[in-house]
């Protein structure tokens, strides 16, 4: 079976800093794969390579067997979309929600934009009354739902998620994660989720890569991780930290 995403020996350098060191993993169609690690471990840099935001890398990256271009063309973004950490920063403050969702549809030549926008908002639990509001008129959770709707409106097959709930209140985080899990199942999306929180990864993903110092130090099933606590001491520390956080939340 050809992986939806195949990353082999990915390296990224920023000047003298070797940020990613021979990172390798595969994500199959319909699978959810998580990358977890502390800030600076390199996990978000992996997403920036996959999304085409960082063209400076070496190694082999492919999507459905096709080599990943360092500067992807427009057609790439029809199939691969990303949801960023900060929903307020990712939405243009002077564009209505309607305009924000209409823009990618126009770029890719989709027909029936009104119907597609209404359907995308409905999929994320927002009614059509939100179409002509501005980002500052929405709560943090509502803004992130709009950001998810914008990613989904093109009906991609792959979704990249960079800490999608970390900027939200704890009370809203579970709602957004449950929404993403439901959408992933409904659309059979292949998904890569980056988080510093193993509990978030465990909620969304079937498999996890643990990153430390720019490397994947452990790649395992979530079920195995829960049973064994992890092979690496660093993994066990992350698991203990996520358990402590859940007790104090």
């Amino acid at each position: 079976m050809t992986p939806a995403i195949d990353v082999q020996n990915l390296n990224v350098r920023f000047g003298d800093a070797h940020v990613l060191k021979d990172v390798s993993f595969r994500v199959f169609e319909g699978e959810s794969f998580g990358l977890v690690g502390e800030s600076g471990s390199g996990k978000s840099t992996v997403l920036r390579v996959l999304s085409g935001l960082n063209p400076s890398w070496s190694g082999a990256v492919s999507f459905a067997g096709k080599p990943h271009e360092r500067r992807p063309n427009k057609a790439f973004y029809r199939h691969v979309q990303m949801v960023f950490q900060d929903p307020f920063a990712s939405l243009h403050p002077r564009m209505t929600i309607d305009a924000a969702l209409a823009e990618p549809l126009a770029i890719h030549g989709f027909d029936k934009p009104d119907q597609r926008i209404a359907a995308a908002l409905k999929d994320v639990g927002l009614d059509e009354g939100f179409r002509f509001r501005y980002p500052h008129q929405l709560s943090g959770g509502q803004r992130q739902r709009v950001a998810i709707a914008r990613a989904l409106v093109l009906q991609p097959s792959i979704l990249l998620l960079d800490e999608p709930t970390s900027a939200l209140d704890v009370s809203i985080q579970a709602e957004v994660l449950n929404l993403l899990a439901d959408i992933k199942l409904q659309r059979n999306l292949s998904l890569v989720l980056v988080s510093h929180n193993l509990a978030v990864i465990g909620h969304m993903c079937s498999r996890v890569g643990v990153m430390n110092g720019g490397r994947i130090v452990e790649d395992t099933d979530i079920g195995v991780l829960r049973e064994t606590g992890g092979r690496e001491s660093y993994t066990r520390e992350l698991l203990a930290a996520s358990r402590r956080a859940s007790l104090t939340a």
Side-chain angles (χ1 to χ4, degrees), residues 201-213:
I201 297 290
H203 187 87
M204 289 288 298
C205 301
S206 57
R207 201 158 50 86
V208 61
V210 180
M211 294 199 69
N212 187 19

Side-chain angles (χ1 to χ4, degrees), residues 197-238:
N197 189 336
L198 255 175
V200 171
I201 297 290
H203 187 87
M204 289 288 298
C205 301
S206 57
R207 201 158 50 86
V208 61
V210 180
M211 294 199 69
N212 187 19
R215 301 181 186 275
I216 291 184
V217 297
E218 189 159 358
D219 183 339
T220 186
D221 290 341
I222 288 292
V224 172
L225 182 61
R226 286 179 176 140
E227 289 178 9
T228 66
R231 182 186 69 248
E232 299 287 327
S233 60
Y234 179 74
T235 304
R236 293 193 292 272
E237 290 169 7
L238 284 178

Side-chain angles (χ1 to χ4, degrees), residues 37-222:
E38 296 174 295
S39 296
S41 60
K43 56 192 187 299
S44 290
T45 303
V46 173
L47 279 199
R48 290 182 66 83
V49 170
L50 293 180
S51 64
L53 291 173
N54 180 12
S56 300
W57 53 271
S58 63
V61 180
S62 61
F63 289 86
K66 297 180 180 179
H68 184 35
E69 302 291 339
R70 281 166 174 75
R71 298 189 184 278
N73 59 26
K74 183 175 72 173
F76 170 82
Y77 295 102
R78 162 69 179 77
H79 300 286
V80 180
Q81 283 286 305
M82 185 162 167
V83 177
F84 295 90
Q85 178 177 3
D86 186 348
F88 194 74
S90 65
L91 296 172
H92 195 296
R94 296 186 179 180
M95 290 179 71
T96 63
I97 305 311
D98 185 77
L101 270 62
E103 184 177 47
L105 293 172
I107 290 171
H108 290 271
F110 278 64
D111 62 357
K112 301 178 180 177
D114 285 345
Q115 294 179 25
R116 293 181 186 276
I117 291 169
L121 289 174
K122 183 178 179 181
D123 285 346
V124 298
L126 298 176
D127 61 46
E128 288 198 62
F130 285 87
R131 287 182 62 168
F132 299 101
R133 296 185 190 180
Y134 289 88
H136 72 272
Q137 296 174 311
L138 276 57
S139 68
Q142 289 167 344
R143 285 194 292 266
Q144 193 62 298
R145 287 171 184 263
V146 170
I148 294 167
R150 185 178 58 183
L152 293 175
V153 76
L154 295 178
Q155 299 182 323
S157 58
I158 293 172
L159 201 59
L160 309 174
L161 304 168
D162 189 5
E163 300 267 15
T165 62
S166 65
L168 305 178
D169 292 339
V170 173
S171 60
I172 305 298
Q173 289 181 11
E175 291 181 11
V176 173
L177 288 173
N178 288 334
L179 170 69
L180 286 166
D182 290 343
I183 290 171
K184 185 262 175 194
L185 289 174
Q186 292 166 7
R187 301 195 180 199
N188 195 37
L189 292 169
S190 305
L191 186 150
V192 179
L193 169 64
V194 156
S195 179
H196 66 280
N197 189 336
L198 255 175
V200 171
I201 297 290
H203 187 87
M204 289 288 298
C205 301
S206 57
R207 201 158 50 86
V208 61
V210 180
M211 294 199 69
N212 187 19
R215 301 181 186 275
I216 291 184
V217 297
E218 189 159 358
D219 183 339
T220 186
D221 290 341
I222 288 292

Side-chain angles (χ1 to χ4, degrees), residues 12-42:
V12 171
R13 294 177 182 270
F14 298 133
D16 293 332
H18 196 173
V19 179
L20 295 182
K21 305 168 185 175
D22 295 321
V23 169
S24 299
F25 63 90
R26 289 175 172 171
V27 183
F28 289 93
E29 182 180 348
E31 185 180 23
S32 298
F33 182 77
L35 286 172
V36 68
E38 296 174 295
S39 296
S41 60

